[in-house]
Amino acid sequence: MRPTPWKVGELARQTGLTVRTLHHYDEIGLLTPSHHTATGHRLYGDADIARLQQIRSLRQLGFSLEQIGQCLDSPTFSPQRVIQLHVARLREQIELQRRLCERLESIAEGLQSAEGVSAETFIQTIEDMTMFEKYYTPEQLEQLKQRREEVGEARIQEVQEEWPRLMAEVRAEMERGTAPEDPRAQELARRWKGLVREFTGGDPGIFNSLKNLYQGETTVHGMDVAPMREMQGWVSRALAAAGESW
């Protein structure tokens, strides 16, 4: 076994990360090397390597770097729990790929037979592909399904009707030049935050996936998301001015 400590370049090569990423982790206090050479170069020990693995697992689980830092520094933090969560996520992804593989094999057999392949089968296959490739993990999709059942269709309909009204009010205040410190801005921001939390159930991973969706796509449900990004930024600034976070 190769002895530690590791130099930053060696660690980057072995893990597939970049030196820039490791430097960034150090700069924000997320992963500070335990040792340095006489000339000031970073050296990573065994405990640093273990923490790096936990960081990468939490990143794949959808946590932001800020949330990861809070998690790792919590007195109740459990490295075993991180591993268990990551294993569970991977098993779900494996199961999703297995189902997709079975559907594709079924389509291939159908295309060779006289029966052909129904439109419904193609739709189900596309749905599985979309679930796997897009922004939400299978675990998160299941959580959202359960959340929908908990909230109920009546409340979901109310929220769907509330969003356009709230967005119109936010847009109007933005066009008036209302500052984030203004009580009107902060009241709208709290309403916005409340609707988002109804959707996510307060889950930070789902919130990050939702944010990534709107940052990574140009349209969502046929809607241009560029205006939504602007409003989201204004709302975030209003929450920050009020001393609140998501």
Side-chain angles (χ1 to χ4, degrees):
M1 181 181 295
R2 185 205 180 282
T4 53
W6 295 68
K7 294 181 179 178
V8 64
E10 295 173 331
L11 184 58
R13 284 192 296 273
Q14 288 294 318
T15 60
L17 299 171
T18 65
V19 171
R20 181 177 180 181
T21 294
L22 293 172
H23 283 178
H24 180 60
Y25 288 174
D26 187 8
E27 290 165 1
I28 64 176
L30 186 60
L31 179 65
T32 301
S34 299
H35 312 281
H36 290 82
T37 66
T39 54
H41 291 92
R42 296 169 175 85
L43 293 174
Y44 295 83
D46 291 344
D48 303 324
I49 305 298
R51 185 176 174 94
L52 178 59
Q53 185 279 316
Q54 293 154 13
I55 291 169
R56 299 310 297 172
S57 282
L58 288 168
R59 280 298 276 169
Q60 290 203 8
L61 288 168
F63 287 79
S64 68
L65 293 181
E66 181 181 1
Q67 291 165 340
I68 291 171
Q70 294 171 351
C71 177
L72 295 181
D73 295 335
S74 169
T76 60
F77 169 70
S78 168
Q80 293 86 353
R81 181 56 178 158
V82 173
I83 297 296
Q84 291 168 354
L85 287 171
H86 200 171
V87 168
R89 173 66 50 79
L90 291 172
R91 291 192 188 283
E92 290 166 355
Q93 292 174 341
I94 290 169
E95 174 61 19
L96 181 57
Q97 292 184 67
R98 185 193 63 76
R99 293 204 318 265
L100 178 57
C101 183
E102 288 181 352
R103 288 195 188 280
L104 292 172
E105 288 175 343
S106 177
I107 286 176
E109 292 174 0
L111 291 173
Q112 293 179 343
S113 70
E115 296 180 1
V117 180
S118 68
E120 181 181 358
T121 299
F122 280 121
I123 289 173
Q124 290 174 340
T125 303
I126 294 169
E127 181 181 7
D128 279 348
M129 292 169 66
T130 301
M131 285 175 59
F132 176 69
E133 295 174 350
K134 289 294 182 181
Y135 299 88
Y136 297 103
T137 66
E139 181 185 45
Q140 289 173 338
L141 290 170
E142 180 60 30
Q143 285 180 256
L144 290 173
K145 179 182 176 182
Q146 293 175 1
R147 181 69 181 159
R148 187 180 186 94
E149 293 172 353
E150 292 171 1
V151 172
E153 291 300 325
R155 178 54 185 162
I156 291 172
Q157 183 62 36
E158 290 176 2
V159 170
Q160 289 175 342
E161 293 172 357
E162 172 65 14
W163 267 118
R165 292 194 295 266
L166 179 56
M167 290 169 64
E169 291 180 57
V170 168
R171 174 57 63 184
E173 294 298 334
M174 290 175 64
E175 291 176 350
R176 290 190 188 102
T178 303
E181 295 77 13
D182 192 293
R184 290 175 297 174
Q186 294 176 12
E187 190 274 332
L188 289 172
R190 292 188 183 101
R191 285 169 55 191
W192 189 292
K193 174 182 175 180
L195 292 182
V196 170
R197 289 182 72 85
E198 280 206 62
F199 173 77
T200 66
D203 185 283
I206 294 178
F207 175 77
N208 287 332
S209 294
L210 177 66
K211 183 172 65 174
N212 291 337
L213 170 64
Y214 278 89
Q215 289 176 344
E217 299 293 321
T218 56
T219 60
V220 176
H221 303 309
M223 179 184 70
D224 181 6
V225 300
M228 177 68 82
R229 292 194 196 112
E230 293 179 26
M231 288 186 280
Q232 181 79 12
W234 186 84
V235 166
S236 294
R237 291 191 293 274
L239 287 174
E244 298 183 25
S245 64
W246 288 99

PDB file of all heavy atoms in Angstrom, residues 206-241:
ATOM      1  N   ILE A 206     -33.287  17.790  -2.950  1.00  0.00           N
ATOM      2  CA  ILE A 206     -34.318  18.057  -3.950  1.00  0.00           C
ATOM      3  C   ILE A 206     -34.284  19.526  -4.348  1.00  0.00           C
ATOM      4  O   ILE A 206     -34.457  19.870  -5.525  1.00  0.00           O
ATOM      5  CB  ILE A 206     -35.702  17.663  -3.413  1.00  0.00           C
ATOM      6  CG1 ILE A 206     -35.771  16.142  -3.214  1.00  0.00           C
ATOM      7  CG2 ILE A 206     -36.817  18.121  -4.348  1.00  0.00           C
ATOM      8  CD1 ILE A 206     -37.081  15.648  -2.639  1.00  0.00           C
ATOM      9  N   PHE A 207     -34.044  20.416  -3.374  1.00  0.00           N
ATOM     10  CA  PHE A 207     -33.936  21.842  -3.698  1.00  0.00           C
ATOM     11  C   PHE A 207     -32.798  22.077  -4.681  1.00  0.00           C
ATOM     12  O   PHE A 207     -32.943  22.823  -5.652  1.00  0.00           O
ATOM     13  CB  PHE A 207     -33.713  22.664  -2.427  1.00  0.00           C
ATOM     14  CG  PHE A 207     -33.464  24.124  -2.699  1.00  0.00           C
ATOM     15  CD1 PHE A 207     -34.513  24.971  -3.022  1.00  0.00           C
ATOM     16  CD2 PHE A 207     -32.181  24.639  -2.657  1.00  0.00           C
ATOM     17  CE1 PHE A 207     -34.284  26.316  -3.291  1.00  0.00           C
ATOM     18  CE2 PHE A 207     -31.938  25.973  -2.927  1.00  0.00           C
ATOM     19  CZ  PHE A 207     -32.995  26.815  -3.241  1.00  0.00           C
ATOM     20  N   ASN A 208     -31.640  21.428  -4.448  1.00  0.00           N
ATOM     21  CA  ASN A 208     -30.508  21.593  -5.357  1.00  0.00           C
ATOM     22  C   ASN A 208     -30.820  21.050  -6.747  1.00  0.00           C
ATOM     23  O   ASN A 208     -30.424  21.638  -7.759  1.00  0.00           O
ATOM     24  CB  ASN A 208     -29.267  20.893  -4.792  1.00  0.00           C
ATOM     25  CG  ASN A 208     -28.670  21.640  -3.627  1.00  0.00           C
ATOM     26  OD1 ASN A 208     -28.804  22.854  -3.531  1.00  0.00           O
ATOM     27  ND2 ASN A 208     -28.018  20.928  -2.733  1.00  0.00           N
ATOM     28  N   SER A 209     -31.522  19.913  -6.805  1.00  0.00           N
ATOM     29  CA  SER A 209     -31.896  19.345  -8.101  1.00  0.00           C
ATOM     30  C   SER A 209     -32.851  20.275  -8.842  1.00  0.00           C
ATOM     31  O   SER A 209     -32.748  20.460 -10.055  1.00  0.00           O
ATOM     32  CB  SER A 209     -32.543  17.966  -7.912  1.00  0.00           C
ATOM     33  OG  SER A 209     -31.608  17.034  -7.410  1.00  0.00           O
ATOM     34  N   LEU A 210     -33.801  20.864  -8.106  1.00  0.00           N
ATOM     35  CA  LEU A 210     -34.730  21.819  -8.701  1.00  0.00           C
ATOM     36  C   LEU A 210     -33.980  23.026  -9.240  1.00  0.00           C
ATOM     37  O   LEU A 210     -34.231  23.495 -10.365  1.00  0.00           O
ATOM     38  CB  LEU A 210     -35.762  22.252  -7.652  1.00  0.00           C
ATOM     39  CG  LEU A 210     -36.771  23.318  -8.083  1.00  0.00           C
ATOM     40  CD1 LEU A 210     -37.692  22.793  -9.177  1.00  0.00           C
ATOM     41  CD2 LEU A 210     -37.593  23.777  -6.880  1.00  0.00           C
ATOM     42  N   LYS A 211     -33.040  23.535  -8.448  1.00  0.00           N
ATOM     43  CA  LYS A 211     -32.239  24.681  -8.877  1.00  0.00           C
ATOM     44  C   LYS A 211     -31.411  24.343 -10.113  1.00  0.00           C
ATOM     45  O   LYS A 211     -31.335  25.131 -11.060  1.00  0.00           O
ATOM     46  CB  LYS A 211     -31.325  25.130  -7.733  1.00  0.00           C
ATOM     47  CG  LYS A 211     -30.498  26.366  -8.049  1.00  0.00           C
ATOM     48  CD  LYS A 211     -29.774  26.865  -6.810  1.00  0.00           C
ATOM     49  CE  LYS A 211     -28.750  25.873  -6.317  1.00  0.00           C
ATOM     50  NZ  LYS A 211     -27.944  26.401  -5.185  1.00  0.00           N
ATOM     51  N   ASN A 212     -30.802  23.161 -10.124  1.00  0.00           N
ATOM     52  CA  ASN A 212     -30.006  22.740 -11.267  1.00  0.00           C
ATOM     53  C   ASN A 212     -30.859  22.593 -12.527  1.00  0.00           C
ATOM     54  O   ASN A 212     -30.406  22.881 -13.639  1.00  0.00           O
ATOM     55  CB  ASN A 212     -29.297  21.420 -10.967  1.00  0.00           C
ATOM     56  CG  ASN A 212     -28.211  21.567  -9.926  1.00  0.00           C
ATOM     57  OD1 ASN A 212     -27.685  22.655  -9.725  1.00  0.00           O
ATOM     58  ND2 ASN A 212     -27.873  20.482  -9.249  1.00  0.00           N
ATOM     59  N   LEU A 213     -32.093  22.141 -12.341  1.00  0.00           N
ATOM     60  CA  LEU A 213     -33.009  22.006 -13.473  1.00  0.00           C
ATOM     61  C   LEU A 213     -33.235  23.353 -14.140  1.00  0.00           C
ATOM     62  O   LEU A 213     -33.127  23.489 -15.362  1.00  0.00           O
ATOM     63  CB  LEU A 213     -34.337  21.416 -12.994  1.00  0.00           C
ATOM     64  CG  LEU A 213     -35.502  21.422 -14.000  1.00  0.00           C
ATOM     65  CD1 LEU A 213     -35.187  20.538 -15.192  1.00  0.00           C
ATOM     66  CD2 LEU A 213     -36.785  20.965 -13.320  1.00  0.00           C
ATOM     67  N   TYR A 214     -33.540  24.361 -13.339  1.00  0.00           N
ATOM     68  CA  TYR A 214     -33.834  25.681 -13.898  1.00  0.00           C
ATOM     69  C   TYR A 214     -32.576  26.398 -14.389  1.00  0.00           C
ATOM     70  O   TYR A 214     -32.655  27.268 -15.243  1.00  0.00           O
ATOM     71  CB  TYR A 214     -34.579  26.536 -12.873  1.00  0.00           C
ATOM     72  CG  TYR A 214     -36.054  26.234 -12.853  1.00  0.00           C
ATOM     73  CD1 TYR A 214     -36.572  25.245 -12.032  1.00  0.00           C
ATOM     74  CD2 TYR A 214     -36.931  26.905 -13.700  1.00  0.00           C
ATOM     75  CE1 TYR A 214     -37.921  24.936 -12.031  1.00  0.00           C
ATOM     76  CE2 TYR A 214     -38.284  26.606 -13.715  1.00  0.00           C
ATOM     77  CZ  TYR A 214     -38.774  25.624 -12.874  1.00  0.00           C
ATOM     78  OH  TYR A 214     -40.115  25.316 -12.901  1.00  0.00           O
ATOM     79  N   GLN A 215     -31.422  26.000 -13.874  1.00  0.00           N
ATOM     80  CA  GLN A 215     -30.177  26.580 -14.359  1.00  0.00           C
ATOM     81  C   GLN A 215     -29.672  25.879 -15.617  1.00  0.00           C
ATOM     82  O   GLN A 215     -28.998  26.487 -16.449  1.00  0.00           O
ATOM     83  CB  GLN A 215     -29.105  26.508 -13.267  1.00  0.00           C
ATOM     84  CG  GLN A 215     -29.345  27.446 -12.101  1.00  0.00           C
ATOM     85  CD  GLN A 215     -28.320  27.288 -11.001  1.00  0.00           C
ATOM     86  OE1 GLN A 215     -27.587  26.289 -10.942  1.00  0.00           O
ATOM     87  NE2 GLN A 215     -28.246  28.261 -10.107  1.00  0.00           N
ATOM     88  N   GLY A 216     -30.019  24.607 -15.756  1.00  0.00           N
ATOM     89  CA  GLY A 216     -29.471  23.818 -16.857  1.00  0.00           C
ATOM     90  C   GLY A 216     -30.334  23.740 -18.095  1.00  0.00           C
ATOM     91  O   GLY A 216     -29.866  23.304 -19.151  1.00  0.00           O
ATOM     92  N   GLU A 217     -31.604  24.127 -18.007  1.00  0.00           N
ATOM     93  CA  GLU A 217     -32.511  24.026 -19.137  1.00  0.00           C
ATOM     94  C   GLU A 217     -32.941  25.422 -19.603  1.00  0.00           C
ATOM     95  O   GLU A 217     -32.976  26.365 -18.815  1.00  0.00           O
ATOM     96  CB  GLU A 217     -33.754  23.217 -18.755  1.00  0.00           C
ATOM     97  CG  GLU A 217     -33.451  21.790 -18.331  1.00  0.00           C
ATOM     98  CD  GLU A 217     -32.918  20.933 -19.460  1.00  0.00           C
ATOM     99  OE1 GLU A 217     -33.414  21.078 -20.593  1.00  0.00           O
ATOM    100  OE2 GLU A 217     -32.016  20.117 -19.224  1.00  0.00           O
ATOM    101  N   THR A 218     -33.276  25.534 -20.874  1.00  0.00           N
ATOM    102  CA  THR A 218     -33.773  26.810 -21.399  1.00  0.00           C
ATOM    103  C   THR A 218     -35.283  26.911 -21.282  1.00  0.00           C
ATOM    104  O   THR A 218     -35.835  28.012 -21.162  1.00  0.00           O
ATOM    105  CB  THR A 218     -33.371  26.985 -22.876  1.00  0.00           C
ATOM    106  OG1 THR A 218     -33.853  25.857 -23.635  1.00  0.00           O
ATOM    107  CG2 THR A 218     -31.858  27.057 -23.010  1.00  0.00           C
ATOM    108  N   THR A 219     -35.961  25.752 -21.304  1.00  0.00           N
ATOM    109  CA  THR A 219     -37.410  25.724 -21.112  1.00  0.00           C
ATOM    110  C   THR A 219     -37.759  24.585 -20.168  1.00  0.00           C
ATOM    111  O   THR A 219     -37.121  23.529 -20.186  1.00  0.00           O
ATOM    112  CB  THR A 219     -38.166  25.530 -22.441  1.00  0.00           C
ATOM    113  OG1 THR A 219     -37.762  24.289 -23.048  1.00  0.00           O
ATOM    114  CG2 THR A 219     -37.908  26.688 -23.400  1.00  0.00           C
ATOM    115  N   VAL A 220     -38.770  24.793 -19.348  1.00  0.00           N
ATOM    116  CA  VAL A 220     -39.295  23.768 -18.444  1.00  0.00           C
ATOM    117  C   VAL A 220     -40.803  23.792 -18.572  1.00  0.00           C
ATOM    118  O   VAL A 220     -41.433  24.841 -18.375  1.00  0.00           O
ATOM    119  CB  VAL A 220     -38.880  24.033 -16.985  1.00  0.00           C
ATOM    120  CG1 VAL A 220     -39.522  23.009 -16.057  1.00  0.00           C
ATOM    121  CG2 VAL A 220     -37.358  23.989 -16.840  1.00  0.00           C
ATOM    122  N   HIS A 221     -41.378  22.648 -18.935  1.00  0.00           N
ATOM    123  CA  HIS A 221     -42.817  22.566 -19.170  1.00  0.00           C
ATOM    124  C   HIS A 221     -43.271  23.609 -20.200  1.00  0.00           C
ATOM    125  O   HIS A 221     -44.344  24.207 -20.074  1.00  0.00           O
ATOM    126  CB  HIS A 221     -43.599  22.747 -17.872  1.00  0.00           C
ATOM    127  CG  HIS A 221     -43.237  21.768 -16.809  1.00  0.00           C
ATOM    128  ND1 HIS A 221     -43.190  20.404 -17.018  1.00  0.00           N
ATOM    129  CD2 HIS A 221     -42.876  21.953 -15.513  1.00  0.00           C
ATOM    130  CE1 HIS A 221     -42.829  19.794 -15.906  1.00  0.00           C
ATOM    131  NE2 HIS A 221     -42.632  20.709 -14.985  1.00  0.00           N
ATOM    132  N   GLY A 222     -42.410  23.834 -21.207  1.00  0.00           N
ATOM    133  CA  GLY A 222     -42.758  24.775 -22.266  1.00  0.00           C
ATOM    134  C   GLY A 222     -42.567  26.231 -21.896  1.00  0.00           C
ATOM    135  O   GLY A 222     -42.875  27.121 -22.697  1.00  0.00           O
ATOM    136  N   MET A 223     -42.046  26.517 -20.694  1.00  0.00           N
ATOM    137  CA  MET A 223     -41.871  27.890 -20.235  1.00  0.00           C
ATOM    138  C   MET A 223     -40.412  28.302 -20.337  1.00  0.00           C
ATOM    139  O   MET A 223     -39.511  27.551 -19.961  1.00  0.00           O
ATOM    140  CB  MET A 223     -42.338  28.020 -18.781  1.00  0.00           C
ATOM    141  CG  MET A 223     -42.173  29.401 -18.204  1.00  0.00           C
ATOM    142  SD  MET A 223     -42.624  29.470 -16.439  1.00  0.00           S
ATOM    143  CE  MET A 223     -41.270  28.537 -15.713  1.00  0.00           C
ATOM    144  N   ASP A 224     -40.168  29.507 -20.863  1.00  0.00           N
ATOM    145  CA  ASP A 224     -38.825  30.065 -20.902  1.00  0.00           C
ATOM    146  C   ASP A 224     -38.376  30.330 -19.470  1.00  0.00           C
ATOM    147  O   ASP A 224     -39.043  31.063 -18.730  1.00  0.00           O
ATOM    148  CB  ASP A 224     -38.832  31.363 -21.713  1.00  0.00           C
ATOM    149  CG  ASP A 224     -37.450  31.996 -21.820  1.00  0.00           C
ATOM    150  OD1 ASP A 224     -36.465  31.380 -21.371  1.00  0.00           O
ATOM    151  OD2 ASP A 224     -37.357  33.118 -22.352  1.00  0.00           O
ATOM    152  N   VAL A 225     -37.248  29.748 -19.044  1.00  0.00           N
ATOM    153  CA  VAL A 225     -36.851  29.846 -17.651  1.00  0.00           C
ATOM    154  C   VAL A 225     -35.936  31.035 -17.366  1.00  0.00           C
ATOM    155  O   VAL A 225     -35.617  31.294 -16.206  1.00  0.00           O
ATOM    156  CB  VAL A 225     -36.162  28.549 -17.162  1.00  0.00           C
ATOM    157  CG1 VAL A 225     -37.090  27.368 -17.279  1.00  0.00           C
ATOM    158  CG2 VAL A 225     -34.867  28.302 -17.918  1.00  0.00           C
ATOM    159  N   ALA A 226     -35.515  31.764 -18.398  1.00  0.00           N
ATOM    160  CA  ALA A 226     -34.636  32.917 -18.160  1.00  0.00           C
ATOM    161  C   ALA A 226     -35.278  33.934 -17.214  1.00  0.00           C
ATOM    162  O   ALA A 226     -34.625  34.386 -16.258  1.00  0.00           O
ATOM    163  CB  ALA A 226     -34.245  33.573 -19.484  1.00  0.00           C
ATOM    164  N   PRO A 227     -36.546  34.316 -17.417  1.00  0.00           N
ATOM    165  CA  PRO A 227     -37.177  35.238 -16.457  1.00  0.00           C
ATOM    166  C   PRO A 227     -37.263  34.641 -15.051  1.00  0.00           C
ATOM    167  O   PRO A 227     -37.122  35.355 -14.052  1.00  0.00           O
ATOM    168  CB  PRO A 227     -38.575  35.463 -17.057  1.00  0.00           C
ATOM    169  CG  PRO A 227     -38.425  35.163 -18.506  1.00  0.00           C
ATOM    170  CD  PRO A 227     -37.435  34.037 -18.558  1.00  0.00           C
ATOM    171  N   MET A 228     -37.480  33.338 -14.975  1.00  0.00           N
ATOM    172  CA  MET A 228     -37.551  32.671 -13.679  1.00  0.00           C
ATOM    173  C   MET A 228     -36.216  32.785 -12.946  1.00  0.00           C
ATOM    174  O   MET A 228     -36.184  33.018 -11.726  1.00  0.00           O
ATOM    175  CB  MET A 228     -37.930  31.208 -13.849  1.00  0.00           C
ATOM    176  CG  MET A 228     -37.954  30.410 -12.554  1.00  0.00           C
ATOM    177  SD  MET A 228     -39.266  30.896 -11.427  1.00  0.00           S
ATOM    178  CE  MET A 228     -40.639  29.972 -12.130  1.00  0.00           C
ATOM    179  N   ARG A 229     -35.110  32.631 -13.679  1.00  0.00           N
ATOM    180  CA  ARG A 229     -33.795  32.761 -13.050  1.00  0.00           C
ATOM    181  C   ARG A 229     -33.604  34.162 -12.476  1.00  0.00           C
ATOM    182  O   ARG A 229     -33.066  34.330 -11.383  1.00  0.00           O
ATOM    183  CB  ARG A 229     -32.689  32.473 -14.073  1.00  0.00           C
ATOM    184  CG  ARG A 229     -32.621  31.027 -14.549  1.00  0.00           C
ATOM    185  CD  ARG A 229     -31.314  30.781 -15.278  1.00  0.00           C
ATOM    186  NE  ARG A 229     -31.365  29.555 -16.046  1.00  0.00           N
ATOM    187  CZ  ARG A 229     -31.357  29.500 -17.372  1.00  0.00           C
ATOM    188  NH1 ARG A 229     -31.296  30.616 -18.072  1.00  0.00           N
ATOM    189  NH2 ARG A 229     -31.399  28.337 -18.002  1.00  0.00           N
ATOM    190  N   GLU A 230     -34.041  35.183 -13.216  1.00  0.00           N
ATOM    191  CA  GLU A 230     -33.920  36.556 -12.733  1.00  0.00           C
ATOM    192  C   GLU A 230     -34.725  36.758 -11.459  1.00  0.00           C
ATOM    193  O   GLU A 230     -34.246  37.357 -10.487  1.00  0.00           O
ATOM    194  CB  GLU A 230     -34.416  37.529 -13.810  1.00  0.00           C
ATOM    195  CG  GLU A 230     -33.564  37.578 -15.062  1.00  0.00           C
ATOM    196  CD  GLU A 230     -34.146  38.545 -16.081  1.00  0.00           C
ATOM    197  OE1 GLU A 230     -34.844  39.487 -15.662  1.00  0.00           O
ATOM    198  OE2 GLU A 230     -33.918  38.358 -17.282  1.00  0.00           O
ATOM    199  N   MET A 231     -35.952  36.251 -11.453  1.00  0.00           N
ATOM    200  CA  MET A 231     -36.794  36.405 -10.271  1.00  0.00           C
ATOM    201  C   MET A 231     -36.226  35.630  -9.091  1.00  0.00           C
ATOM    202  O   MET A 231     -36.260  36.095  -7.948  1.00  0.00           O
ATOM    203  CB  MET A 231     -38.220  35.951 -10.593  1.00  0.00           C
ATOM    204  CG  MET A 231     -38.971  36.908 -11.503  1.00  0.00           C
ATOM    205  SD  MET A 231     -40.716  36.456 -11.758  1.00  0.00           S
ATOM    206  CE  MET A 231     -40.543  35.178 -13.000  1.00  0.00           C
ATOM    207  N   GLN A 232     -35.697  34.434  -9.358  1.00  0.00           N
ATOM    208  CA  GLN A 232     -35.103  33.625  -8.297  1.00  0.00           C
ATOM    209  C   GLN A 232     -33.936  34.370  -7.655  1.00  0.00           C
ATOM    210  O   GLN A 232     -33.769  34.354  -6.430  1.00  0.00           O
ATOM    211  CB  GLN A 232     -34.615  32.288  -8.861  1.00  0.00           C
ATOM    212  CG  GLN A 232     -33.996  31.354  -7.838  1.00  0.00           C
ATOM    213  CD  GLN A 232     -35.024  30.613  -7.011  1.00  0.00           C
ATOM    214  OE1 GLN A 232     -36.205  30.624  -7.338  1.00  0.00           O
ATOM    215  NE2 GLN A 232     -34.580  29.994  -5.928  1.00  0.00           N
ATOM    216  N   GLY A 233     -33.122  35.027  -8.479  1.00  0.00           N
ATOM    217  CA  GLY A 233     -32.007  35.798  -7.952  1.00  0.00           C
ATOM    218  C   GLY A 233     -32.473  36.952  -7.075  1.00  0.00           C
ATOM    219  O   GLY A 233     -31.907  37.213  -6.009  1.00  0.00           O
ATOM    220  N   TRP A 234     -33.525  37.643  -7.515  1.00  0.00           N
ATOM    221  CA  TRP A 234     -34.089  38.761  -6.747  1.00  0.00           C
ATOM    222  C   TRP A 234     -34.645  38.268  -5.422  1.00  0.00           C
ATOM    223  O   TRP A 234     -34.433  38.886  -4.369  1.00  0.00           O
ATOM    224  CB  TRP A 234     -35.167  39.437  -7.584  1.00  0.00           C
ATOM    225  CG  TRP A 234     -35.764  40.686  -7.012  1.00  0.00           C
ATOM    226  CD1 TRP A 234     -35.274  41.963  -7.107  1.00  0.00           C
ATOM    227  CD2 TRP A 234     -36.992  40.793  -6.265  1.00  0.00           C
ATOM    228  NE1 TRP A 234     -36.112  42.848  -6.474  1.00  0.00           N
ATOM    229  CE2 TRP A 234     -37.174  42.163  -5.945  1.00  0.00           C
ATOM    230  CE3 TRP A 234     -37.950  39.867  -5.841  1.00  0.00           C
ATOM    231  CZ2 TRP A 234     -38.273  42.619  -5.230  1.00  0.00           C
ATOM    232  CZ3 TRP A 234     -39.051  40.317  -5.116  1.00  0.00           C
ATOM    233  CH2 TRP A 234     -39.202  41.672  -4.820  1.00  0.00           C
ATOM    234  N   VAL A 235     -35.350  37.151  -5.446  1.00  0.00           N
ATOM    235  CA  VAL A 235     -35.903  36.557  -4.232  1.00  0.00           C
ATOM    236  C   VAL A 235     -34.775  36.158  -3.268  1.00  0.00           C
ATOM    237  O   VAL A 235     -34.869  36.382  -2.051  1.00  0.00           O
ATOM    238  CB  VAL A 235     -36.780  35.340  -4.578  1.00  0.00           C
ATOM    239  CG1 VAL A 235     -37.075  34.502  -3.344  1.00  0.00           C
ATOM    240  CG2 VAL A 235     -38.083  35.789  -5.233  1.00  0.00           C
ATOM    241  N   SER A 236     -33.710  35.555  -3.796  1.00  0.00           N
ATOM    242  CA  SER A 236     -32.587  35.138  -2.951  1.00  0.00           C
ATOM    243  C   SER A 236     -31.952  36.338  -2.265  1.00  0.00           C
ATOM    244  O   SER A 236     -31.587  36.272  -1.080  1.00  0.00           O
ATOM    245  CB  SER A 236     -31.541  34.394  -3.780  1.00  0.00           C
ATOM    246  OG  SER A 236     -32.061  33.172  -4.276  1.00  0.00           O
ATOM    247  N   ARG A 237     -31.819  37.442  -3.001  1.00  0.00           N
ATOM    248  CA  ARG A 237     -31.234  38.646  -2.408  1.00  0.00           C
ATOM    249  C   ARG A 237     -32.144  39.220  -1.318  1.00  0.00           C
ATOM    250  O   ARG A 237     -31.665  39.718  -0.292  1.00  0.00           O
ATOM    251  CB  ARG A 237     -30.951  39.687  -3.489  1.00  0.00           C
ATOM    252  CG  ARG A 237     -29.813  39.290  -4.438  1.00  0.00           C
ATOM    253  CD  ARG A 237     -29.391  40.441  -5.321  1.00  0.00           C
ATOM    254  NE  ARG A 237     -30.431  40.832  -6.268  1.00  0.00           N
ATOM    255  CZ  ARG A 237     -30.623  40.278  -7.454  1.00  0.00           C
ATOM    256  NH1 ARG A 237     -29.830  39.272  -7.848  1.00  0.00           N
ATOM    257  NH2 ARG A 237     -31.569  40.708  -8.265  1.00  0.00           N
ATOM    258  N   ALA A 238     -33.463  39.164  -1.548  1.00  0.00           N
ATOM    259  CA  ALA A 238     -34.412  39.651  -0.544  1.00  0.00           C
ATOM    260  C   ALA A 238     -34.346  38.797   0.724  1.00  0.00           C
ATOM    261  O   ALA A 238     -34.393  39.320   1.843  1.00  0.00           O
ATOM    262  CB  ALA A 238     -35.817  39.667  -1.121  1.00  0.00           C
ATOM    263  N   LEU A 239     -34.244  37.481   0.561  1.00  0.00           N
ATOM    264  CA  LEU A 239     -34.124  36.598   1.727  1.00  0.00           C
ATOM    265  C   LEU A 239     -32.836  36.881   2.496  1.00  0.00           C
ATOM    266  O   LEU A 239     -32.826  36.918   3.730  1.00  0.00           O
ATOM    267  CB  LEU A 239     -34.162  35.134   1.283  1.00  0.00           C
ATOM    268  CG  LEU A 239     -35.510  34.577   0.832  1.00  0.00           C
ATOM    269  CD1 LEU A 239     -35.349  33.159   0.282  1.00  0.00           C
ATOM    270  CD2 LEU A 239     -36.523  34.580   1.981  1.00  0.00           C
ATOM    271  N   ALA A 240     -31.745  37.071   1.749  1.00  0.00           N
ATOM    272  CA  ALA A 240     -30.464  37.362   2.395  1.00  0.00           C
ATOM    273  C   ALA A 240     -30.534  38.682   3.155  1.00  0.00           C
ATOM    274  O   ALA A 240     -30.010  38.795   4.276  1.00  0.00           O
ATOM    275  CB  ALA A 240     -29.350  37.414   1.353  1.00  0.00           C
ATOM    276  N   ALA A 241     -31.203  39.676   2.568  1.00  0.00           N
ATOM    277  CA  ALA A 241     -31.342  40.976   3.241  1.00  0.00           C
ATOM    278  C   ALA A 241     -32.158  40.856   4.520  1.00  0.00           C
ATOM    279  O   ALA A 241     -31.959  41.617   5.468  1.00  0.00           O
ATOM    280  CB  ALA A 241     -31.991  41.987   2.290  1.00  0.00           C
TER     281      ALA A 241
END
